[in-house]
Amino acid sequence: MNMSSIRTTLRTAALCGAALALATGCNKKADNTLNFTSAINTYYSAHPACLWSDPIKFPVQADTSDNSKTSGYDALVDQGLLVRTTAEKKKFIIASKQVNNYDLSDKGRAAWTADTTQPGYGNFCYGHRKVSSIDSSTPTTDNVGATTQIAYHYNVPDAAGWATAAETQSAYPALQTELAAPQNAQATLTNTSNGWQVSSAKSLNNTSTNAGKIVE
């Protein structure tokens, strides 16, 4: 084979390889890291991460003598999301205690995500998780109905300024953990006629309270 033929053969192989890679990349049902990442990121784009593990309703009242109840709200007052007023609440006929009343500020209402299942309830959502690495996946196929278990890491690149503030992270340690470094997570993906979709997802960062709630 002369040099001209060799060049032609190599060029043809390269073009075929590029075409195959393009076809694989465009096939949303293919079982590959690109499609798994896209499916998880699409899920998270519609499910923001929020501050509290359960939606709450404002206004709320907290005893000023219990720092565990006021510190979180006070941090959000510092960030302009809540407004605080003080009052006295009668305990008995001749006794009373000092309380703080917390309610949404104008800035807080703009940042508030309402719970569609519970009128009046909601959460402060601070950003969207995004896959930083796919660590493993269970064997699967590109057939519709196929499933796979994905282990991956995520971060929150678009976290709101109030969530990254030192006061907020001090009051909500789980939030600080969530934003400090990529976190472990798992997801179950199912192959559909429109490509891979998340059936379930959970974080494995062991945060016990007040962070990581995903709005459904």
Side-chain angles (χ1 to χ4, degrees):
M1 182 180 292
N2 58 38
M3 289 301 296
S4 178
S5 297
I6 292 174
R7 291 192 188 95
T8 299
T9 300
L10 291 174
R11 188 180 302 111
T12 301
L15 290 173
C16 289
L20 178 61
L22 182 62
T24 301
C26 292
N27 180 7
K28 295 181 179 180
K29 291 185 288 185
D31 54 329
N32 58 40
T33 297
L34 180 66
N35 285 337
F36 297 156
T37 299
S38 177
I40 297 170
N41 285 342
T42 297
Y43 171 81
Y44 281 140
S45 69
H47 300 81
C50 302
L51 184 60
W52 292 295
S53 56
D54 294 298
I56 67 172
K57 184 178 182 179
F58 285 101
V60 298
Q61 194 172 78
D63 188 341
T64 58
S65 65
D66 189 342
N67 186 63
S68 66
K69 293 182 178 179
T70 60
S71 61
Y73 296 134
D74 286 339
L76 299 179
V77 171
D78 291 340
Q79 296 306 308
L81 299 180
L82 299 179
V83 291
R84 177 183 57 223
T85 58
T86 59
E88 281 191 339
K89 183 177 182 181
K90 290 190 177 297
K91 296 176 62 177
F92 305 104
I93 296 176
I94 58 174
S96 63
K97 64 178 180 179
Q98 194 76 18
V99 295
N100 284 342
N101 295 312
Y102 299 93
D103 204 354
L104 296 172
S105 66
D106 289 341
K107 179 180 177 180
R109 289 188 182 89
W112 188 247
T113 299
D115 187 333
T116 57
T117 65
Q118 300 182 83
Y121 285 76
N123 216 322
F124 285 124
C125 297
Y126 53 83
H128 297 82
R129 294 172 178 174
K130 189 173 184 179
V131 174
S132 57
S133 66
I134 297 290
D135 303 321
S136 66
S137 60
T138 57
T140 188
T141 70
D142 62 357
N143 297 327
V144 173
T147 62
T148 182
Q149 306 294 318
I150 307 295
Y152 62 100
H153 279 76
Y154 69 83
N155 56 19
V156 186
D158 63 343
W162 61 262
T164 60
E167 297 86 354
T168 309
Q169 296 203 355
S170 177
Y172 296 92
L175 174 63
Q176 183 178 30
T177 300
E178 171 90 350
L179 299 181
Q183 301 296 317
N184 290 311
Q186 292 179 347
T188 300
L189 271 58
T190 301
N191 214 349
T192 72
S193 57
N194 292 320
W196 290 94
Q197 294 183 6
V198 172
S199 304
S200 65
K202 63 178 180 179
S203 172
L204 302 179
N205 59 4
N206 296 320
T207 54
S208 57
T209 59
N210 293 341
K213 170 69 176 180
I214 300 296
V215 172
E216 300 297 340

